[in-house]
Amino acid sequence: MPFPFLFLLFLSVPVSVHSKLTLGYYQKTCPNFEKIIRETVTNKQINSPVTAAGTLRLFFHDCMVDGCDASVLISSNTFNKAEREADINHSLSGDAFDVIIHAKTNLELVCPGIVSCSDILAQATRDLVVMVGGPFYNVRLGRKDGMISKLENVEGNLPLVSDSVDQLIDMFAGKGFTTKELVALSGGHTIGFSHCKEFAGRLFNFSATAPTDPDIYPKFAEKLKVMCGNFQKDSDMSAFNDVMTPGKFDNMYYQNLPRGLGLLATDNALGKDPRTKPFVDMYAVNQTAFFNDFAHAMEKLSVHGVKTGRKGEVRRRCDLFNSIKT
């Protein structure tokens, strides 16, 4: 085979999108990027301690639907119902949206039109996880913001509290994640809270013979019933995912599961299924292993489905495309 042909063949092989992302992407174009993000999220977390958990969930919901492209931040308009309209996204944290908007505003003042909202969300999430005690992991930068955000793209791409372990494993595998990575990422539930409607079925109408899930520690179940007694009228009623150390990123989530202190049905199922239980048990006794695997899984998640070059844009405002999408 002639050398010129080999050379042309090599040139025709597409470069991995991931390789276009770098750690120092803004070093010359916006040298204070990291400092501005860090100061913005620090101020927000101090004033609103639920920001870290809310931002981690926002990031996950963004990346699982069409990749990490800030499409979840887009507001709907007359012509388009965006991802935020999906029922599962109605409970996304207002504080999380707010911290990204503030960071974007602060960056636009010094580096107008340079930093994408998707990079802001990825970096802010990492900084907030570290701030509440979680592991540091590298965030490669250079994402562009997606130019599509549609309500109908959400269904089937985010785990539901009613999902079986089979469904969870299949969903994550479809996006390139192993069962171990599924369990590690689920450890994000060590911070934050869930609305009562997401676990009320385990409390009030579990089955015909047992209204309350017998896997829930009885005293915990009774307290949850009191806390969520009016959940049908007050949709904001909620409980901490990790009742022991709700504001600290640690491995307590995994320790809680065999004790009957897991809040969501999916959490409880991970602690029982033979494919996931070994990882739950390992992380419960080895926080270092959890932190290492969580950091690795977050690095992998953060580059899932990213857009670069002409496949995206740098939005002027995080909640709006640069031109109206119909």
Side-chain angles (χ1 to χ4, degrees), residues 57-74:
R57 183 167 181 248
L58 181 66
F59 180 65
F60 179 77
H61 280 227
D62 181 47
C63 293
M64 292 291 279
V65 181
D66 295 333
C68 305
D69 63 355
S71 54
V72 75
L73 303 179
I74 291 293

Side-chain angles (χ1 to χ4, degrees), residues 56 129 132-137 179-191 242 245 248-257 270 276 278-299:
L56 177 58
V129 165
V132 293
F136 177 91
Y137 56 90
T179 300
K180 184 180 184 180
E181 289 165 342
L182 155 64
V183 178
L185 288 171
S186 297
H189 286 170
T190 189
I191 53 175
D242 170 7
T245 57
K248 182 181 179 184
F249 198 101
D250 55 20
N251 67 335
M252 188 60 71
Y253 161 81
Y254 300 104
Q255 295 180 43
N256 287 339
L257 297 184
L270 291 178
T276 53
F279 301 119
V280 170
D281 292 345
M282 176 177 66
Y283 295 149
V285 298
N286 190 337
Q287 181 167 284
T288 300
F290 164 49
F291 275 22
N292 288 339
D293 290 348
F294 179 82
H296 172 78
M298 285 298 289
E299 282 193 43

Side-chain angles (χ1 to χ4, degrees), residues 74 152 164 244:
I74 291 293
E152 57 265 29
S164 66
M244 304 301 289

